[in-house]
Amino acid sequence: MASAASSSNAVLLPIAAAAADAAATSTIGTVNTMDEVHYASTDFYIGLALAVSSSLFIGSSFIIKKKALLKLASGDTSQRASEGGYGYLREWMWWMGVITMGVGEACNFAAYAFAPASLVTPLGALSVIVTAILSSRMLNERLNLLGSIGCALCLLGSTVIVIHSPKEEEVGSMAELALKMKDAGFLIYVILVILATGFIVVYVAPRYGHTNILVYISVCSLIGSLSVLSVKGLGLAIKETLAGHQQFTNWLTYFWLASVAMCVSVQLIYLNKALDIFNTSMVTPIYYVFFTTFVILASSILYKEWSCLGASDVIGNFVGFLTTIIGIFQMQLFRDVNISLYQVQRLVSRPSANLANADFSSSSTNLVDDYCMRQSNGNRRMVYT
């Protein structure tokens, strides 16, 4: 009996030890997985906070610089920027606006290192909201009813994007990024962007650049998508270096740095051309749509940001982006339409038979007439800048 018991114990002890080892391994694996999820979640919220802060700083910088320029305009007009002067360089408030914008761009740069580009880029619409609200308060510029509704739509769309955006990234190191850059999909995208941009610059732009608003905006958006990929790669290198893994000896870091410099330069050149020829109220929303679309496409190809999303989150991102687009267009295209909540209440309260005789002499209720009035009066005050 004793020998049988000892024999049984000899058999059971290794099994129990193996089971204990398996349980310990499973527990360690679970803890590691939880740590990774917590780390990814922390990075997401850091990136989100940086993206929102960037919009606040950039939106505020426009107001600060505008106040400095208005102050300068009340003095010697020959020193105004529109007259070719550089008097604003002596205004401390203008420099304060420049510093504020620099802080905003730095936050935006850092946000790409922590959060997916498909989250950071669409949130740039918040800077338009900040500018619109502050200009109505600090510059006495009118924000009409349609503009207010547009702001609300942008906030709604941005909230939906935050809820449904990817919470973690598939690329966490420069080594992983180097492997992703060899993917056929990414290489094909870069080749197509370069070929399309070259064709537009060489053939399309000289013929149609001054008549079609999409020409220069297409160049900015296509090259802009590559610039965001480069900024994100450079941010990843800096992030790894700060974590103790030196990346400034890695050639890929300098490749991304050179790519950022070239892409941003081309982007600024053609964006300035578009702004110089076409109305800002048209350039801003169209550029936002094209740029954000190409950035989301490029980041999904290289960084695989959408690979972990379900169908509901993909649809949610699309709906949020579409809502933000509608809000941006509404703020920009109808910002000079003279309409208020009081006028809407009058329209609603009037019987339909009397609408034809309604008197709105203090405003233009026909959008076409209003647009013609704005075209004939180039000096009319803008709602916000």
Side-chain angles (χ1 to χ4, degrees), residues 38-116:
H38 175 72
Y39 179 74
S41 177
T42 302
D43 275 6
F44 172 81
Y45 288 111
I46 291 174
L48 175 61
L50 288 169
V52 174
S53 300
S54 170
S55 296
L56 292 174
F57 280 114
I58 292 175
S60 301
S61 71
F62 287 113
I63 303 302
I64 296 172
K65 289 193 291 185
K66 184 62 178 288
K67 286 185 73 70
L69 293 174
L70 289 175
K71 180 181 177 182
L72 183 65
S74 62
D76 185 4
T77 58
S78 64
Q79 297 296 315
R80 295 181 63 178
S82 59
E83 301 295 332
Y86 297 95
Y88 55 86
L89 295 177
R90 296 193 297 269
E91 286 289 338
W92 66 269
M93 188 178 293
W94 185 85
W95 284 107
M96 183 179 174
V98 171
I99 293 172
T100 305
M101 176 168 281
V103 173
E105 293 295 347
C107 291
N108 191 54
F109 178 88
Y112 281 111
F114 289 95

Side-chain angles (χ1 to χ4, degrees), residues 68-218:
L69 293 174
L70 289 175
K71 180 181 177 182
L72 183 65
S74 62
D76 185 4
T77 58
S78 64
Q79 297 296 315
R80 295 181 63 178
S82 59
E83 301 295 332
Y86 297 95
Y88 55 86
L89 295 177
R90 296 193 297 269
E91 286 289 338
W92 66 269
M93 188 178 293
W94 185 85
W95 284 107
M96 183 179 174
V98 171
I99 293 172
T100 305
M101 176 168 281
V103 173
E105 293 295 347
C107 291
N108 191 54
F109 178 88
Y112 281 111
F114 289 95
S118 55
L119 167 70
V120 177
T121 304
L123 289 182
L126 295 179
S127 64
V128 181
I129 301 176
V130 173
T131 304
I133 295 175
L134 291 181
S135 64
S136 66
R137 300 296 181 184
M138 302 178 65
L139 300 177
N140 296 322
E141 295 179 351
R142 182 172 50 86
L143 180 63
N144 62 15
L145 177 62
L146 294 176
S148 300
I149 296 174
C151 289
L153 286 174
C154 285
L155 285 174
L156 177 62
S158 299
T159 303
V160 173
I161 290 173
V162 170
I163 293 173
H164 293 282
S165 64
K167 301 299 185 294
E168 58 186 37
E169 300 186 82
E170 297 297 317
V171 178
S173 67
M174 293 292 282
E176 293 178 9
L177 181 56
L179 292 176
K180 294 290 185 182
M181 290 174 64
K182 298 177 183 179
D183 287 351
F186 173 68
L187 295 175
I188 291 173
Y189 177 79
V190 173
I191 292 172
L192 289 177
V193 166
I194 293 174
L195 291 177
T197 303
F199 175 75
I200 294 173
V201 170
V202 174
Y203 180 79
V204 180
R207 292 169 173 80
Y208 308 105
H210 285 72
T211 57
N212 193 323
I213 192 173
L214 298 180
V215 175
Y216 292 137
I217 290 180
S218 297

Side-chain angles (χ1 to χ4, degrees), residues 338-350 354-366 373:
N338 191 7
I339 185 171
S340 64
L341 182 60
Y342 171 72
Q343 293 171 345
V344 173
Q345 291 173 342
R346 288 185 63 189
L347 282 173
V348 172
S349 62
R350 279 179 176 272
N354 295 332
L355 285 179
N357 299 323
D359 180 19
F360 296 108
S361 57
S362 61
S363 66
S364 175
T365 56
N366 187 300
M373 289 170 61

